[in-house]
Amino acid sequence: QVQLVESGGGLVQAGDSLRLSCVISGRTANLYVMGWFRQAPGKEREFVAAVSGTGYAVYYGDSVKGRFAISRDNSKNTVSLQMSSLKPEDTAVYYCARGPYYSGRVDYPFTRQYTDWGQGTQVTVSS
């Protein structure tokens, strides 16, 4: 089974940047849509971004458009989330997730569309 391990979270100030990474292990990991979600205490898990298996197609949640960028490096089996202009409301646990296999679409904003999840990494943005 595919294993996802996130890293890169931490405590930053508003306006700062942070880069999260997700290391993927397991066969044919490069053929799956990969997504990032986040969840703040007491809140529903929120879609952040998704990237196609090739890395050419991306899809973002409205709250992060223009500030976050998802990418993947299949040669390194990693998916990244570059976060810029961070706001206190970005504070959450960020999760890497594996979505549909060999999908031609990346518009998958629902948790039920993903089958495997990492343990999460905490991002805290102070004001």
Side-chain angles (χ1 to χ4, degrees):
Q1 187 175 359
V2 171
Q3 182 179 13
L4 312 175
V5 180
E6 304 96 332
S7 63
L11 174 63
V12 298
Q13 294 182 326
D16 283 355
S17 297
L18 198 62
R19 186 178 180 87
L20 306 182
S21 295
C22 174
V23 178
I24 309 162
S25 61
R27 70 179 185 87
T28 66
N30 61 309
L31 298 178
Y32 290 83
V33 171
M34 298 298 299
W36 284 97
F37 288 76
R38 65 187 183 185
Q39 188 167 25
K43 303 292 185 179
E44 295 280 343
R45 191 163 295 188
E46 177 189 18
F47 173 74
V48 175
V51 60
S52 66
T54 62
Y56 293 132
V58 295
Y59 178 51
Y60 297 99
D62 290 339
S63 64
V64 305
K65 285 182 178 178
R67 298 190 299 119
F68 290 10
I70 188 171
S71 62
R72 69 193 301 163
D73 186 343
N74 287 337
S75 68
K76 297 180 179 180
N77 296 315
T78 59
V79 178
S80 298
L81 184 69
Q82 179 65 47
M83 305 183 293
S84 300
S85 301
L86 284 163
K87 307 173 181 179
E89 51 263 45
D90 293 319
T91 295
V93 176
Y94 283 71
Y95 297 92
C96 180
R98 185 178 71 164
Y101 175 77
Y102 203 54
S103 175
R105 302 170 64 93
V106 291
D107 54 337
Y108 301 106
F110 304 109
T111 58
R112 59 179 168 80
Q113 297 171 312
Y114 294 78
T115 58
D116 297 277
W117 298 80
Q119 82 287 355
T121 185
Q122 176 71 47
V123 173
T124 303
V125 184
S126 63
S127 61

